[in-house]
Amino acid sequence: MAPQYAPSLRSRLPLVAFLLETIFLLLFVIFVKIEQHEQFGRESDSKLFISSYAEFQDVHVMIFTGFGFLATFLVRYGFSGSGFNMLLAAMAIQWAVLINGFLLPQQHHRREIHINMKSVVEAELCAASALVAMGAVHGKANPVQLLLMALVEVTGFVVTQWILRALFNADPVYSIMLLHVFGALFGVMVSWVLHREGIKPEHEKEKTDRKTGLFAMFGTLFLWMFWPSFNSALVRDYRWDGGLKLTVIYGTYLSLAVSVVMAMSVSMLTSSKGKMNMVHVQSSALSGGVAIGVAMTAVHAPWIAMTIGFCAALLSALGYRYMKNHMLFAFECHDTCGVLSVHAIPGILGWFAHLFLRLASNESTIAVQFAVYHICVLLITACMSLVMGTATGLFLKWSIWRPQQDRKCFDDQAFWEFPNLVVQK
Amino acid sequence: MAPQYAPSLRSRLPLVAFLLETIFLLLFVIFVKIEQHEQFGRESDSKLFISSYAEFQDVHVMIFTGFGFLATFLVRYGFSGSGFNMLLAAMAIQWAVLINGFLLPQQHHRREIHINMKSVVEAELCAASALVAMGAVHGKANPVQLLLMALVEVTGFVVTQWILRALFNADPVYSIMLLHVFGALFGVMVSWVLHREGIKPEHEKEKTDRKTGLFAMFGTLFLWMFWPSFNSALVRDYRWDGGLKLTVIYGTYLSLAVSVVMAMSVSMLTSSKGKMNMVHVQSSALSGGVAIGVAMTAVHAPWIAMTIGFCAALLSALGYRYMKNHMLFAFECHDTCGVLSVHAIPGILGWFAHLFLRLASNESTIAVQFAVYHICVLLITACMSLVMGTATGLFLKWSIWRPQQDRKCFDDQAFWEFPNLVVQK
Amino acid sequence: MAPQYAPSLRSRLPLVAFLLETIFLLLFVIFVKIEQHEQFGRESDSKLFISSYAEFQDVHVMIFTGFGFLATFLVRYGFSGSGFNMLLAAMAIQWAVLINGFLLPQQHHRREIHINMKSVVEAELCAASALVAMGAVHGKANPVQLLLMALVEVTGFVVTQWILRALFNADPVYSIMLLHVFGALFGVMVSWVLHREGIKPEHEKEKTDRKTGLFAMFGTLFLWMFWPSFNSALVRDYRWDGGLKLTVIYGTYLSLAVSVVMAMSVSMLTSSKGKMNMVHVQSSALSGGVAIGVAMTAVHAPWIAMTIGFCAALLSALGYRYMKNHMLFAFECHDTCGVLSVHAIPGILGWFAHLFLRLASNESTIAVQFAVYHICVLLITACMSLVMGTATGLFLKWSIWRPQQDRKCFDDQAFWEFPNLVVQK
């Protein structure tokens, strides 16, 4: 038993974070301005400012409290789960504001990036995409690796967006909702490349307990409750667009309500002892929001939204129960938070629903055209994600980043001081 | 010691939930539409949409996070407390949208139910009524029983609403605030019928600890903070109605502030050791919101609201301290969350305050007329609640629902997998 | 080992709270009215009501959930941390509404205090000032002492405001943001006067654990996320003021994002083992919000806000790491939550930034004038705070308030019933 302690990151993390933060600061000095007289569509500004700010706060709560506490479910990894989530999201948002401004300028300013509610919400959604990817390597990478991974992921996602919009003239609202698919595939690839032999299906520290399950429940609820805002935040102009914003809000709400019921039922049904699994329920309850997010612009009736939520939770709960261990044995790919079941599969289900609903409502020539476009969008997103994920994994495998040992996985002790251990009576 | 394990619900819960969800889905297919061009009073729509959505989110947070985490106070029942709360609320909301649409149509559509912010907020308030009832049987019924109970409770509450509005032309805002009285009496009756001999005043698992007390504090705070939105959500048209909405908001706010102070004082004063009881404080701190909710349309000065909060917390804290065990000994009725002290008594106090304030401000003939109407409303609500609660209790006593044994009460182990027990070193 | 139990507060707290609450109630009867037809600037009312209410709710959440859960970080003091926070804030708000109305009337009513969104938000900010002061004596004073201290602190802060506005015609938005400096200095002086010999740098109960660290994380996040609303709540008229409100919101947001990154980096860098300290990170992550709050009216570019956040977190993290024990040894002043590092130092940094930015953007004569005014404002605030803090400390030292023994510090057991200890198997 030679190496008792995890390698210290004292010479790595502060340096990397400090350097990156300084670079961001310099870029902000040169390029970024606050939009003083924000234009909110054709409305008088104050009114729509109010709406945007409230929605932004909902999304903000989801990113920091929702994702942050969902990540505390491991019994010894709560500090890292919530703390690193905060660090990564704070960095990812700054970077996303910059790179979104460079690649996807919203107004034609001369080399200036203007901060407004829209750009901030988009930055938070890009950060969400990075946080989804984090889920796959949760507990198995150190904060330096996570930080680099988050920034590469955001870059990849924004570049994919740029390709989709430039080549295919894709709808921004639709293409940004592919964040779940992009993030999940990216994360899974990184996890596959970084695979450790020591991660067995039953790692002694990869478990939940009564209290961490409740902390995770808290994160789940904040994601679940504010998901209608997450999906609708970028759908502006609810009046001129046939009530699309309202449809998205009510659709997401109903889809999530059905998801909860299905997640619990399936979790109990597939358990040999007839008991529910808290982690499965928490994850699958959210799948309805993912699926409806991808399909939302094509959904016009509440029951369609509910059906999508129904199927998403069914697939997601089955996937979590049966696929996670299978993936580990068959492909040596360990996916801590089951992002494949929670984000990728419901996302692709939503994509299919979107395709099907459009095909059903259009005549044949337009339908075929749409199908080709729709398939291309998914393929490009998936390819970009898989390729960049693999590359990122290889880059992070470099031992200069000082990964922790297998037995220090899923453990806060490697990164956080525990003063109580010192002062123990 | 024959039966070690609680009976498995594997063949019950998934079946019941799946069946009900399918029925709801079919009813949604036939009847429910999303209101595309929502009419928000005489205002231009966007402005009032914003207001409604923010208030709806406040209420939404109360139902899922507030009630959910308030229910985690028992030391071994946290997963069930928050998890079943989510399941029941999600089902109750769907059912409430349907039955509200059938019985209490808001606009005259031909056999169509239109979803809009008002209908969703009303559905959430009906779900709140069911969650209040759950409090009385908390920890003593399995999720199948809870699910059926929630749906019957919502049905009963909506039917009562319908009677009050059809026969007495009752004000919708006032009648829906009787949800506390209806829910509490309903729950207590169910608990009385389902009484178990094994539930002693000091069941070994019916206790709180340092951590679950904090989780419950968290739920309490979210209920407490957003209660002004809960009471005012259905009070529209704050401009044309003499500022009623503002009065309700500030009144609830002040009433709750006084409640906190009184709850802590009384809890310390009535303790033999001069210490506060966290569960009593959490419950009684909310009583001001309940009382002012019933009285609110008659309250026009801040000090009246504060006096109501003062009396409500006083009665509620005394009730929690002395009445709970008395109820158990004298009537064999065990009320886990003390809903009688927290919801029924403050609700009836609010009713008296309402009556008194109206009598004081009107001349005698109108006053007598109002008193008769007011007494009838309470009597009908109470009778409906008691009768339906008893009937529901008898229905749930049926052994087909597989209730857990006495010693498995207040215990998650009967319903949830605990992976950590398996992997214990 | 003579005194086993902490002295009972049964004859103190209920009496004091009841008396104060009755006095408040009487003052409300005489003076306070709800503003029926609220005037929201030049806008039509409904629109701005919506905005104010949402912002008020954000601040409300910060005061009760944010401060409340941030105070649960001590392993045995969670009930007191969150419970007393609720009690003090509820009392402080009522008192602040009254005393603000007496001293700083907003409209010229004849001896009437009108409650409206602005007055309620100001009352909450005054309560925040008291809660900052509480941080310094956290765990070392009983609730009677805390209650009296909170009310004196609020009085002192409002009187200081009145002096600043009457003598110096200070900008209300700027002067209220000095709440951090006033509260922190006040609290530190009280803590210095109340110093106990038994409080060593390593009191056995002054520590955090895995779960209380997460509860505190939760409070931290709610403060962190809603801080933009905290700083901007009193900045009205975002349209006519050159977009100041938007600038404040985005500035606070970016400043806090940079703070998080710096807090974590510095915490790891200054640790001998290369590990982060959760308490330091949580505290320093908030320092950017404090600093930008004091400087905000002079900040017009995002990078300036980010630089302020950068420096604030750097100073705050260094201060927390090195100054806390130094203060205890050198001055016999124990500051439980490190309010000096988290509120006073970033506040003064913000003050310097404000001064510097104004000097840089004005011509010399105006600049000198401003500098004199600016220095006077800080000096008066600091003097008032130090003097009143010392006086309050001497008053609270009176043994009639029955302070707990040294060994009962940082312990809930002195104030809360723990039913589980009774029913232990």
Side-chain angles (χ1 to χ4, degrees):
Chain A
M1 271 180 67
Q4 278 289 358
Y5 300 104
S8 167
L9 294 173
R10 196 179 171 187
S11 58
R12 297 291 183 281
L13 182 66
L15 192 73
V16 171
F18 186 86
L19 262 181
L20 288 170
E21 191 57 64
T22 313
I23 294 168
F24 290 176
L25 196 43
L26 290 176
L27 291 171
F28 267 79
V29 173
I30 306 171
F31 295 108
V32 184
K33 285 205 169 169
I34 288 170
E35 197 161 311
Q36 293 288 334
H37 297 284
E38 214 160 312
Q39 294 298 321
F40 298 96
R42 268 170 279 169
E43 281 284 316
S44 81
D45 35 357
S46 71
K47 209 173 346 185
L48 278 170
F49 162 73
I50 298 160
S51 165
S52 318
Y53 184 55
E55 281 173 0
F56 157 70
Q57 278 291 8
D58 286 356
V59 176
H60 198 39
V61 170
M62 288 177 74
I63 301 298
F64 285 89
T65 307
F67 279 102
F69 275 87
L70 190 55
T72 60
F73 73 101
L74 291 177
V75 70
R76 293 187 168 201
Y77 202 64
F79 280 21
S80 304
S82 59
F84 296 162
N85 181 83
M86 201 175 175
L87 175 68
L88 302 181
M91 286 296 261
I93 285 168
Q94 296 175 54
W95 179 232
V97 165
L98 288 168
I99 194 161
N100 261 321
F102 289 131
L103 284 184
L104 310 169
Q106 287 151 27
Q107 287 116 359
H108 295 287
H109 302 293
R110 279 164 298 170
R111 291 197 207 159
E112 267 185 6
I113 298 168
H114 283 209
I115 291 192
N116 52 34
M117 278 299 154
K118 186 155 175 266
S119 72
V120 181
V121 169
E122 279 181 357
E124 301 248 344
L125 293 185
C126 292
S129 157
L131 297 177
V132 168
M134 296 301 122
V137 297
H138 189 66
K140 296 173 296 181
N142 71 36
V144 186
Q145 291 176 310
L146 293 176
L147 193 51
L148 296 170
M149 180 176 159
L151 298 182
V152 177
E153 206 274 353
V154 168
T155 315
F157 182 57
V158 175
V159 169
T160 309
Q161 293 269 310
W162 176 79
I163 293 173
L164 293 179
R165 296 196 203 171
L167 294 189
F168 294 90
N169 200 20
D171 177 27
V173 174
Y174 165 59
S175 66
I176 209 165
M177 278 302 148
L178 289 169
L179 70 92
H180 301 289
V181 176
F182 187 92
L185 295 181
F186 187 98
V188 167
M189 289 317 286
V190 173
S191 182
W192 178 64
V193 175
L194 290 181
H195 184 71
R196 297 153 173 273
E197 285 305 315
I199 301 296
K200 304 257 165 44
E202 306 215 323
H203 190 284
E204 59 172 3
K205 291 169 184 167
E206 194 189 358
K207 60 188 180 185
T208 190
D209 72 6
R210 284 180 188 286
K211 300 297 182 294
T212 54
L214 280 176
F215 280 113
M217 187 69 183
F218 166 54
T220 308
L221 278 172
F222 274 82
L223 285 173
W224 192 88
M225 291 185 303
F226 293 137
W227 210 292
S229 302
F230 189 86
N231 282 346
S232 71
L234 292 176
V235 182
R236 288 286 165 89
D237 307 335
Y238 34 88
R239 288 196 301 169
W240 304 291
D241 209 336
L244 180 57
K245 194 178 190 98
L246 289 171
T247 310
V248 168
I249 286 173
Y250 298 126
T252 309
Y253 176 69
L254 289 169
S255 172
L256 284 165
V258 178
S259 278
V260 171
V261 180
M262 287 310 293
M264 292 207 180
S265 303
V266 176
S267 181
M268 185 174 266
L269 195 64
T270 56
S271 155
S272 57
K273 287 182 181 162
K275 295 180 180 184
M276 291 182 242
N277 184 306
M278 194 42 135
V279 177
H280 297 182
V281 167
Q282 288 169 345
S283 306
S284 303
L286 299 172
S287 57
V290 173
I292 195 79
V294 180
M296 65 189 181
T297 47
V299 173
H300 292 292
W303 69 269
I304 298 176
M306 290 167 80
T307 311
I308 291 173
F310 191 97
C311 301
L314 189 70
L315 285 180
S316 167
L318 290 173
Y320 215 117
R321 181 72 77 176
Y322 297 117
M323 204 171 65
K324 196 179 155 185
N325 284 345
H326 185 75
M327 288 284 293
L328 182 53
F329 286 124
F331 303 106
E332 299 207 315
C333 174
H334 181 266
D335 176 5
T336 317
C337 300
V339 294
L340 213 58
S341 311
V342 181
H343 294 272
I345 292 176
I348 291 168
L349 175 77
W351 178 88
F352 271 111
H354 195 157
L355 180 65
F356 183 79
L357 290 168
R358 290 270 188 214
L359 294 190
S361 68
N362 283 316
E363 39 172 310
S364 59
T365 49
I366 297 176
V368 169
Q369 218 175 333
F370 178 79
V372 172
Y373 151 79
H374 202 64
I375 290 166
C376 287
V377 166
L378 184 67
L379 280 184
I380 287 168
T381 305
C383 289
M384 283 292 291
S385 173
L386 294 171
V387 170
M388 293 205 65
T390 314
T392 309
L394 292 171
F395 173 64
L396 295 180
K397 225 174 175 171
W398 204 5
S399 66
I400 202 177
W401 310 123
R402 295 197 179 176
Q404 71 264 52
Q405 305 95 315
D406 289 355
R407 55 192 299 272
K408 292 287 173 195
C409 284
F410 313 118
D411 198 341
D412 280 340
Q413 212 94 46
F415 310 117
W416 298 89
E417 285 177 4
F418 283 94
N420 54 330
L421 297 180
V422 183
V423 202
Q424 210 75 290
K425 281 174 281 189
Chain B
M1 272 178 65
Q4 277 291 357
Y5 300 105
S8 167
L9 294 172
R10 196 178 170 187
S11 58
R12 297 292 183 283
L13 182 67
L15 191 73
V16 171
F18 186 85
L19 262 181
L20 288 170
E21 192 56 65
T22 314
I23 293 169
F24 290 176
L25 196 43
L26 290 176
L27 291 171
F28 267 79
V29 173
I30 306 171
F31 294 107
V32 184
K33 285 206 171 170
I34 288 170
E35 197 161 310
Q36 293 288 334
H37 296 285
E38 213 160 312
Q39 293 299 320
F40 299 95
R42 269 170 278 168
E43 281 284 317
S44 82
D45 35 356
S46 72
K47 209 171 352 185
L48 278 169
F49 162 73
I50 298 161
S51 164
S52 319
Y53 184 56
E55 280 173 1
F56 158 70
Q57 278 291 8
D58 286 356
V59 176
H60 198 39
V61 170
M62 289 177 74
I63 301 299
F64 285 89
T65 307
F67 279 102
F69 275 87
L70 190 54
T72 60
F73 72 101
L74 291 177
V75 69
R76 293 187 169 201
Y77 202 64
F79 280 21
S80 304
S82 59
F84 296 162
N85 181 82
M86 202 173 173
L87 174 69
L88 302 181
M91 286 295 262
I93 286 168
Q94 296 175 53
W95 178 233
V97 165
L98 289 168
I99 195 163
N100 260 322
F102 289 131
L103 284 183
L104 310 169
Q106 286 150 27
Q107 287 115 359
H108 296 287
H109 303 293
R110 280 164 297 171
R111 289 199 209 158
E112 267 184 8
I113 298 169
H114 282 209
I115 291 193
N116 52 34
M117 278 298 153
K118 186 153 176 266
S119 72
V120 181
V121 170
E122 279 180 357
E124 301 247 343
L125 293 184
C126 292
S129 157
L131 296 178
V132 168
M134 295 302 122
V137 297
H138 188 66
K140 296 172 296 181
N142 71 36
V144 186
Q145 291 176 311
L146 292 176
L147 193 52
L148 296 170
M149 179 176 160
L151 298 181
V152 176
E153 206 274 353
V154 168
T155 316
F157 182 57
V158 175
V159 169
T160 308
Q161 293 269 311
W162 176 80
I163 294 173
L164 293 180
R165 295 195 203 172
L167 294 189
F168 293 90
N169 200 21
D171 175 27
V173 174
Y174 164 60
S175 66
I176 208 165
M177 277 302 148
L178 290 169
L179 69 93
H180 300 289
V181 177
F182 188 92
L185 295 179
F186 187 99
V188 168
M189 290 316 286
V190 172
S191 182
W192 178 65
V193 174
L194 289 182
H195 183 71
R196 295 153 173 273
E197 286 304 316
I199 300 296
K200 304 257 165 45
E202 307 214 324
H203 190 285
E204 58 173 3
K205 290 170 186 167
E206 194 190 358
K207 60 187 181 186
T208 189
D209 72 7
R210 285 180 189 285
K211 300 298 183 291
T212 54
L214 281 177
F215 280 115
M217 188 69 185
F218 166 55
T220 307
L221 278 172
F222 273 83
L223 285 173
W224 191 88
M225 291 185 302
F226 293 138
W227 210 292
S229 302
F230 189 86
N231 281 347
S232 71
L234 292 176
V235 182
R236 288 285 165 91
D237 307 336
Y238 33 87
R239 288 196 301 167
W240 304 292
D241 209 337
L244 180 57
K245 194 179 191 96
L246 289 171
T247 309
V248 168
I249 286 174
Y250 298 126
T252 309
Y253 178 68
L254 289 169
S255 172
L256 284 166
V258 178
S259 278
V260 171
V261 180
M262 287 310 293
M264 292 207 181
S265 303
V266 176
S267 181
M268 186 175 266
L269 194 65
T270 56
S271 155
S272 57
K273 288 183 182 162
K275 294 180 180 184
M276 292 182 242
N277 184 307
M278 194 43 135
V279 177
H280 297 183
V281 167
Q282 288 170 346
S283 306
S284 302
L286 299 172
S287 57
V290 173
I292 196 79
V294 181
M296 65 189 181
T297 47
V299 173
H300 291 293
W303 68 269
I304 298 176
M306 290 167 81
T307 311
I308 291 172
F310 191 98
C311 301
L314 189 71
L315 285 180
S316 168
L318 290 174
Y320 214 117
R321 181 72 79 175
Y322 298 117
M323 205 171 64
K324 196 179 155 185
N325 283 345
H326 185 74
M327 289 283 293
L328 182 52
F329 285 124
F331 303 106
E332 298 206 318
C333 174
H334 182 266
D335 175 5
T336 317
C337 299
V339 294
L340 213 58
S341 311
V342 181
H343 293 274
I345 293 177
I348 292 168
L349 175 78
W351 179 87
F352 271 111
H354 196 156
L355 180 64
F356 183 79
L357 290 168
R358 290 270 188 216
L359 296 190
S361 68
N362 283 316
E363 40 172 310
S364 60
T365 48
I366 298 176
V368 170
Q369 217 175 333
F370 178 80
V372 172
Y373 150 78
H374 202 64
I375 289 165
C376 287
V377 166
L378 185 69
L379 281 184
I380 287 167
T381 305
C383 289
M384 282 293 291
S385 172
L386 294 171
V387 170
M388 292 206 63
T390 314
T392 309
L394 292 171
F395 172 64
L396 294 180
K397 225 173 175 171
W398 204 4
S399 67
I400 201 176
W401 310 121
R402 295 199 179 174
Q404 71 263 54
Q405 306 95 316
D406 289 356
R407 55 191 300 270
K408 293 288 172 196
C409 284
F410 313 118
D411 199 341
D412 281 339
Q413 212 95 47
F415 310 119
W416 298 89
E417 285 177 5
F418 283 94
N420 53 328
L421 297 180
V422 181
V423 200
Q424 210 74 291
K425 282 173 281 191
Chain C
M1 274 180 64
Q4 277 290 358
Y5 300 105
S8 168
L9 294 173
R10 196 179 170 187
S11 58
R12 298 290 183 283
L13 182 66
L15 192 73
V16 171
F18 186 85
L19 262 181
L20 287 170
E21 191 56 65
T22 313
I23 294 168
F24 290 176
L25 196 42
L26 290 176
L27 291 171
F28 267 78
V29 172
I30 306 171
F31 295 107
V32 183
K33 285 203 169 172
I34 288 170
E35 198 161 309
Q36 292 289 334
H37 297 285
E38 213 161 312
Q39 293 299 320
F40 299 96
R42 270 169 278 168
E43 281 284 315
S44 81
D45 36 356
S46 73
K47 210 173 348 184
L48 278 170
F49 162 73
I50 298 160
S51 166
S52 318
Y53 184 56
E55 280 173 0
F56 157 70
Q57 278 291 7
D58 286 355
V59 176
H60 198 39
V61 170
M62 288 177 74
I63 301 298
F64 285 90
T65 307
F67 279 102
F69 274 87
L70 190 54
T72 60
F73 72 102
L74 291 176
V75 69
R76 292 188 168 200
Y77 202 64
F79 280 22
S80 304
S82 59
F84 296 161
N85 181 82
M86 201 175 174
L87 174 68
L88 302 181
M91 287 296 261
I93 285 168
Q94 296 175 53
W95 179 232
V97 165
L98 288 169
I99 194 161
N100 261 322
F102 289 130
L103 284 183
L104 309 169
Q106 286 150 29
Q107 288 117 357
H108 296 286
H109 302 293
R110 279 163 299 171
R111 289 196 209 162
E112 266 185 8
I113 298 168
H114 282 210
I115 291 192
N116 53 34
M117 278 298 154
K118 187 154 174 264
S119 72
V120 181
V121 169
E122 279 181 357
E124 300 247 344
L125 293 185
C126 292
S129 158
L131 296 177
V132 168
M134 295 302 122
V137 297
H138 188 65
K140 296 173 296 180
N142 70 36
V144 186
Q145 290 175 311
L146 292 175
L147 193 51
L148 296 170
M149 179 176 159
L151 298 181
V152 176
E153 206 275 352
V154 168
T155 316
F157 182 57
V158 176
V159 169
T160 308
Q161 293 269 309
W162 176 80
I163 294 172
L164 293 179
R165 296 196 203 172
L167 294 189
F168 294 91
N169 199 21
D171 176 26
V173 173
Y174 165 58
S175 66
I176 209 165
M177 277 302 149
L178 289 169
L179 69 93
H180 301 288
V181 177
F182 188 92
L185 295 180
F186 187 98
V188 168
M189 290 316 286
V190 173
S191 182
W192 178 64
V193 175
L194 290 182
H195 183 70
R196 296 153 172 271
E197 286 304 316
I199 301 296
K200 305 256 164 43
E202 306 214 322
H203 190 285
E204 58 173 4
K205 291 170 185 166
E206 194 190 359
K207 61 187 180 186
T208 189
D209 72 6
R210 284 181 189 284
K211 300 298 182 291
T212 55
L214 280 177
F215 280 114
M217 188 69 184
F218 167 54
T220 307
L221 278 172
F222 274 83
L223 285 173
W224 192 88
M225 291 184 303
F226 293 137
W227 210 293
S229 302
F230 189 86
N231 282 347
S232 72
L234 292 177
V235 181
R236 289 285 166 89
D237 306 334
Y238 34 88
R239 289 196 300 167
W240 303 291
D241 209 336
L244 181 57
K245 193 178 191 98
L246 289 171
T247 309
V248 169
I249 286 173
Y250 299 127
T252 309
Y253 177 69
L254 289 169
S255 172
L256 285 165
V258 178
S259 278
V260 171
V261 180
M262 287 311 292
M264 292 207 181
S265 302
V266 176
S267 181
M268 186 175 267
L269 195 64
T270 56
S271 154
S272 59
K273 287 182 184 163
K275 294 180 180 183
M276 291 182 242
N277 184 307
M278 195 43 136
V279 176
H280 298 182
V281 167
Q282 287 170 344
S283 306
S284 303
L286 299 172
S287 57
V290 174
I292 196 80
V294 180
M296 65 190 181
T297 47
V299 173
H300 291 292
W303 69 269
I304 298 176
M306 290 167 80
T307 311
I308 291 173
F310 191 98
C311 300
L314 190 70
L315 285 180
S316 167
L318 290 173
Y320 215 117
R321 182 71 79 175
Y322 298 116
M323 204 171 64
K324 196 179 157 186
N325 284 345
H326 185 75
M327 289 282 293
L328 181 54
F329 285 124
F331 303 106
E332 298 206 318
C333 174
H334 182 265
D335 175 5
T336 317
C337 299
V339 294
L340 213 58
S341 311
V342 181
H343 294 274
I345 292 176
I348 292 168
L349 175 78
W351 178 88
F352 271 110
H354 195 156
L355 181 64
F356 183 78
L357 290 168
R358 290 269 188 216
L359 296 190
S361 68
N362 283 316
E363 39 173 311
S364 60
T365 48
I366 298 176
V368 170
Q369 219 175 332
F370 178 80
V372 172
Y373 150 79
H374 203 64
I375 290 165
C376 287
V377 166
L378 185 67
L379 281 183
I380 287 167
T381 306
C383 290
M384 283 292 292
S385 173
L386 294 171
V387 170
M388 292 205 64
T390 315
T392 309
L394 292 170
F395 173 64
L396 295 180
K397 226 174 173 171
W398 204 4
S399 67
I400 201 177
W401 310 122
R402 295 197 179 175
Q404 71 264 51
Q405 306 95 314
D406 289 355
R407 55 193 299 271
K408 292 288 173 197
C409 284
F410 313 118
D411 199 340
D412 280 339
Q413 212 94 46
F415 310 117
W416 298 89
E417 285 177 4
F418 283 93
N420 53 330
L421 297 181
V422 182
V423 201
Q424 211 74 291
K425 281 175 279 189

